[in-house]
Amino acid sequence: MYFYKNEFMNKADIQLSPDDRGYYFGDGIYEVFRVYQGKLYEQDAHMQRLQRTASEVRLTLPFTIEKIGQILTELVAKNKLIDGTVYLQITRGEAPRAHPFPTQAEPIMLAYCTEVPRPTATIHNGIKAITFADIRWLRCDLKTLNLLPNVMAKQAALDNNVQEVVLHREGTVTECSASNLMIIKDGVLYTHPANHLILHGITRAVVLRLARGLEMPVKEEAFTTGQLMEADEAFISGTTVEITPILEVDGRKIGAGTPGAYTRKLQEEFVRTFS
Amino acid sequence: MYFYKNEFMNKADIQLSPDDRGYYFGDGIYEVFRVYQGKLYEQDAHMQRLQRTASEVRLTLPFTIEKIGQILTELVAKNKLIDGTVYLQITRGEAPRAHPFPTQAEPIMLAYCTEVPRPTATIHNGIKAITFADIRWLRCDLKTLNLLPNVMAKQAALDNNVQEVVLHREGTVTECSASNLMIIKDGVLYTHPANHLILHGITRAVVLRLARGLEMPVKEEAFTTGQLMEADEAFISGTTVEITPILEVDGRKIGAGTPGAYTRKLQEEFVRTFS
């Protein structure tokens, strides 16, 4: 069961128009919510980010945030979803193709659920990554449908038999293809500041809160690929990957090449936030 | 009459899937062809660019270039199009939402015609522009569906009661929201080199050829917003705008603030290429 425009309907009944600006321009925004035990995780934070992105790209949401929350909750219930994700997308509406904002179009909301188990194997065992040039636009803080660079980056990882890319701008690490990156050095947690160059991850914010609760020093400072290689531990954070250790980058071990003690501690604390 | 996937059909019969990667990721490419007197203008150049973009984003075209050309020609005939445009879009196909390239999906082609008269008023009278920060990704040479920054830039122009933006990276002019920019100073034509920072415009190439034919010196060199302000003439080039003079930028006149003699000469030569 999907939600499309104004109602719940079967996927097969959705009548998507080629004139949807999501299709011609990627002119839309999205959020992916984690559902744990039938409940939307960090719902308020996702909704605030949705509102912020909408405001920055000047897209009027089709419903109030409260109403969107109700719809998603109903969607989860209708689909009897226990563990999974809710994908929510809102485009600027249908209009004959022309760059300027259409004057008449109504924004179009699409939402659906997917059953997704927690990726416990990679959370436990960690993953490998390669470094990759970050060539994205300069508003990576906006969660829009313009995702081709992220797609290309992720595919580059798979082509190199690793699971992720570490994006960098001339050696300064920003984030990964669809997650934030954190390193630990001498007990201090470092991650790129939440500016225009990275997505302001919901899980990122949760992890920083947990780290502070554990009295770990947190520095929201950019670091280089060189500093990453010299880190004691590294991990990515994201809605679906949660906290996943990075063991190797470009074939070189990070720290001991095994999930680190701080990472493990943060993983434990993270699980407590939803269980 | 549209073309979709493998056949000609009415727009209302198109069954677009929400799983089309064009919709989730802007994971597709496009071309806009000009049709003059029932014929596709500069068809080979557009097809070469389509092939290049497809290759760079690693998207397999669903048909040979020859076959695509036949389909578009038939589309023009079926729609009895005399003066207008053909829009062609190819996405990476339908698959459940996930960043990596799908292994099974077939690329999806969509094409349609639109009657569009030549914009003779603005070609004759010129337009005004504002400068605007170019925050796009670093592969602006690829004609992909990730067009939100272009949409936002164009809208910024309209909000400022002008028709175009002059995009610049820290003062270095790149191009406009959907056209290339050229200036003339002391009889020399300057335009940004065809690298990763601009679209390699088909009309841009035609204009450079015409300028050389007129024995105008051509310099494919980047120039600054300051140099633009000091130019004798400025104009944009593009498939639908053809050669349109820019008379004012940020409220300041370019040259005399009227379409210049070199621009007029290039416009005359340009009309000869299709009439």
Side-chain angles (χ1 to χ4, degrees):
Chain A
M1 184 69 74
Y2 276 51
F3 184 89
Y4 179 64
K5 287 189 174 173
N6 292 300
E7 51 189 324
F8 295 95
M9 60 172 75
N10 291 317
K11 183 179 180 182
D13 295 330
I14 293 174
Q15 291 278 353
L16 214 66
S17 167
D19 280 347
D20 190 311
R21 290 174 62 92
Y23 202 49
Y24 290 140
F25 300 113
D27 190 5
I29 65 178
Y30 77 105
E31 282 290 329
V32 180
F33 299 74
R34 195 68 171 94
V35 173
Y36 291 119
Q37 297 157 1
K39 278 179 138 167
L40 292 161
Y41 180 69
E42 288 283 327
Q43 179 176 341
D44 291 350
H46 281 283
M47 289 299 185
Q48 278 166 28
R49 188 169 65 185
L50 181 73
Q51 279 185 302
R52 178 175 178 274
T53 305
S55 163
E56 292 289 312
V57 306
R58 303 169 56 192
L59 189 156
T60 307
L61 296 178
F63 308 106
T64 63
I65 282 297
E66 293 70 32
K67 176 75 177 168
I68 294 174
Q70 284 166 20
I71 292 168
L72 299 189
T73 300
E74 203 174 331
L75 189 69
V76 168
K78 278 180 191 291
N79 286 281
K80 299 187 173 53
L81 185 68
I82 305 299
D83 281 306
T85 56
V86 174
Y87 178 78
L88 167 69
Q89 169 174 312
I90 299 168
T91 63
R92 207 181 299 274
E94 293 167 13
R97 186 182 184 279
H99 284 59
F101 298 167
T103 47
Q104 300 290 327
E106 297 286 328
I108 294 172
M109 178 164 143
L110 172 84
Y112 66 87
C113 298
T114 310
E115 257 192 68
V116 186
R118 295 183 58 220
T120 46
T122 48
I123 288 172
H124 184 74
N125 300 327
I127 60 171
K128 298 175 182 179
I130 53 166
T131 54
F132 198 74
D134 189 347
I135 62 165
R136 298 173 302 164
W137 72 328
L138 298 179
R139 289 306 303 274
C140 294
D141 55 318
L142 303 180
K143 211 162 168 71
T144 81
L145 303 181
N146 276 216
L147 289 172
L148 185 55
N150 304 67
V151 163
M152 300 296 293
K154 181 71 173 183
Q155 186 60 36
L158 302 188
D159 292 342
N160 283 276
N161 299 309
V162 297
Q163 294 87 350
E164 239 333 323
V165 289
V166 170
L167 298 175
H168 67 91
R169 292 192 191 259
E170 291 169 12
T172 298
V173 172
T174 50
E175 57 182 336
C176 295
S177 76
S179 53
N180 296 119
L181 182 66
M182 305 198 182
I183 60 172
I184 290 159
K185 180 71 178 177
D186 300 328
V188 180
L189 192 156
Y190 294 85
T191 196
H192 196 285
N195 63 12
H196 62 294
L197 296 178
I198 67 162
L199 187 77
H200 304 183
I202 307 298
T203 309
R204 176 186 180 280
V206 171
V207 171
L208 296 189
R209 205 160 63 221
L210 294 175
R212 288 180 179 119
L214 291 169
E215 297 189 353
M216 284 178 70
V218 168
K219 293 197 178 176
E220 294 185 65
E221 289 174 11
F223 50 87
T224 64
T225 50
Q227 288 172 298
L228 165 62
M229 298 302 185
E230 297 300 316
D232 300 324
E233 306 181 22
F235 61 87
I236 56 172
S237 67
T239 293
T240 50
V241 298
E242 299 183 3
I243 295 172
T244 296
I246 300 273
L247 307 186
E248 259 186 49
V249 177
D250 292 341
R252 290 164 59 184
K253 283 181 186 171
I254 305 298
T258 54
Y262 287 104
T263 303
R264 284 291 187 235
K265 185 67 191 156
L266 287 166
Q267 287 180 329
E268 278 170 34
E269 293 292 318
F270 184 76
V271 170
R272 285 205 196 110
T273 65
F274 61 82
S275 59
Chain B
M1 186 66 75
Y2 276 51
F3 184 89
Y4 179 63
K5 286 189 175 173
N6 292 301
E7 51 189 325
F8 295 95
M9 60 172 75
N10 290 317
K11 183 179 181 183
D13 296 329
I14 294 174
Q15 291 279 353
L16 214 65
S17 167
D19 281 346
D20 190 311
R21 290 175 62 93
Y23 202 48
Y24 290 140
F25 300 113
D27 189 4
I29 65 178
Y30 76 106
E31 282 290 330
V32 180
F33 299 74
R34 195 68 171 96
V35 173
Y36 292 118
Q37 298 158 359
K39 278 179 139 168
L40 292 161
Y41 180 69
E42 287 284 326
Q43 178 175 344
D44 291 350
H46 281 282
M47 290 298 185
Q48 277 166 29
R49 188 169 63 184
L50 181 73
Q51 278 185 302
R52 178 174 178 273
T53 304
S55 164
E56 292 289 313
V57 305
R58 304 168 57 191
L59 191 155
T60 307
L61 296 177
F63 308 106
T64 63
I65 282 297
E66 293 68 32
K67 175 75 178 168
I68 294 175
Q70 283 166 18
I71 291 168
L72 299 189
T73 300
E74 202 174 331
L75 189 69
V76 167
K78 279 180 190 290
N79 285 281
K80 301 186 172 55
L81 184 68
I82 304 300
D83 280 306
T85 56
V86 174
Y87 177 79
L88 168 69
Q89 169 175 312
I90 300 169
T91 63
R92 206 181 299 273
E94 295 167 13
R97 186 183 185 278
H99 284 59
F101 298 167
T103 47
Q104 300 290 328
E106 298 286 328
I108 294 173
M109 178 164 142
L110 172 84
Y112 65 87
C113 298
T114 310
E115 257 193 67
V116 186
R118 294 183 59 219
T120 45
T122 48
I123 288 172
H124 184 75
N125 300 326
I127 61 172
K128 298 175 182 181
I130 53 167
T131 54
F132 198 73
D134 188 348
I135 61 164
R136 298 174 300 164
W137 72 329
L138 299 180
R139 288 305 304 273
C140 295
D141 54 319
L142 303 181
K143 211 162 168 72
T144 81
L145 304 180
N146 276 217
L147 289 171
L148 185 55
N150 305 67
V151 163
M152 300 296 293
K154 181 70 174 183
Q155 185 61 36
L158 302 187
D159 292 342
N160 283 278
N161 300 309
V162 298
Q163 294 87 350
E164 232 344 314
V165 289
V166 171
L167 297 175
H168 67 91
R169 291 191 191 259
E170 291 168 12
T172 299
V173 171
T174 49
E175 57 182 337
C176 295
S177 76
S179 53
N180 295 120
L181 182 67
M182 305 196 182
I183 60 173
I184 291 157
K185 180 72 176 177
D186 299 329
V188 180
L189 192 156
Y190 295 84
T191 196
H192 196 286
N195 62 13
H196 62 294
L197 296 178
I198 68 162
L199 188 77
H200 304 182
I202 306 298
T203 309
R204 175 186 180 281
V206 172
V207 170
L208 296 189
R209 204 160 65 221
L210 294 175
R212 289 180 179 119
L214 291 170
E215 297 187 354
M216 284 178 69
V218 168
K219 294 197 179 177
E220 294 185 66
E221 289 174 11
F223 50 88
T224 65
T225 51
Q227 287 172 299
L228 165 64
M229 298 303 185
E230 297 300 316
D232 300 324
E233 306 180 21
F235 62 86
I236 55 173
S237 66
T239 294
T240 51
V241 298
E242 297 183 3
I243 295 172
T244 296
I246 299 272
L247 306 186
E248 257 186 52
V249 177
D250 292 341
R252 290 164 59 184
K253 284 180 186 171
I254 305 298
T258 53
Y262 287 103
T263 304
R264 285 290 188 235
K265 186 69 191 152
L266 288 166
Q267 286 180 329
E268 278 169 34
E269 293 293 318
F270 184 75
V271 169
R272 284 207 195 109
T273 65
F274 60 83
S275 59

